[in-house]
């Protein structure tokens, strides 16, 4: 079983920044694509960003508009999502996911974290 442990959520004012982190085992980190999805109240879960198992390819949701950056830290088997210039509409529970392919569909991802709340106030 692959475990994904998320951290870094919280409350921030609009225009502020947060960094989310997701840590897994070395085996999973070097085998699966990993990424982030989010789900706002009353809305469907949506893709945010993902990175291939090798780190060679990164995929972002179009409306992120360069505000978010996804990176891999191999020595810690961790991915980070740096979120800048946050907006109230970014408020959601953010989920880390791992799966066999780099994709923007949640159906591709087999393993999920518990989620971390991000709240952006006006």
């Amino acid at each position: 079983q692959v475990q994904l442990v998320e951290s870094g959520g919280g409350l921030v004012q609009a225009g502020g920044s947060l960094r989310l982190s997701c840590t897994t085992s070395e085996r999973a980190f070097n085998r699966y694509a990993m990424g982030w999805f989010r789900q706002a109240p009353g809305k469907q879960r949506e893709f945010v960003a993902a990175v291939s198992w090798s780190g060679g390819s990164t995929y972002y949701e179009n409306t992120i508009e360069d505000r978010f950056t996804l990176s891999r830290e191999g020595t810690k088997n961790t991915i980070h999502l740096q979120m800048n210039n946050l907006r109230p509409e970014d408020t959601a529970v953010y989920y880390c996911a791992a799966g066999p392919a780099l994709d923007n569909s949640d159906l591709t991802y087999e393993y999920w974290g518990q989620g971390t709340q991000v709240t952006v106030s006006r």
Side-chain angles (χ1 to χ4, degrees), residues 1-109:
Q1 184 71 13
V2 174
Q3 288 192 322
L4 304 172
V5 179
E6 301 135 331
S7 62
L11 172 64
V12 65
Q13 289 186 332
S17 298
L18 284 173
R19 189 176 81 156
L20 305 183
S21 299
C22 177
T23 301
T24 188
S25 66
E26 180 178 2
R27 182 175 183 269
F29 187 78
N30 292 308
R31 179 176 181 178
Y32 294 111
M34 294 180 67
W36 292 93
F37 288 75
R38 66 186 181 184
Q39 187 167 20
K43 294 187 177 181
Q44 289 188 333
R45 185 162 56 189
E46 64 177 6
F47 173 74
V48 176
V51 61
S52 61
W53 68 269
S54 67
S57 298
T58 309
Y59 185 7
Y60 294 95
E61 197 275 331
N62 291 337
T63 63
I64 296 301
E65 298 174 350
D66 298 326
R67 298 184 296 122
F68 295 2
T69 302
L70 182 59
S71 61
R72 295 171 89 247
E73 188 174 3
T75 58
K76 296 185 177 180
N77 304 320
T78 297
I79 62 170
H80 303 288
L81 183 68
Q82 178 66 43
M83 305 186 294
N84 298 327
N85 192 22
L86 283 161
R87 304 167 179 170
E89 53 265 39
D90 294 316
T91 294
V93 178
Y94 283 69
Y95 296 92
C96 180
L102 182 64
D103 197 0
N104 64 350
S105 170
D106 59 359
L107 298 176
T108 300
Y109 296 84

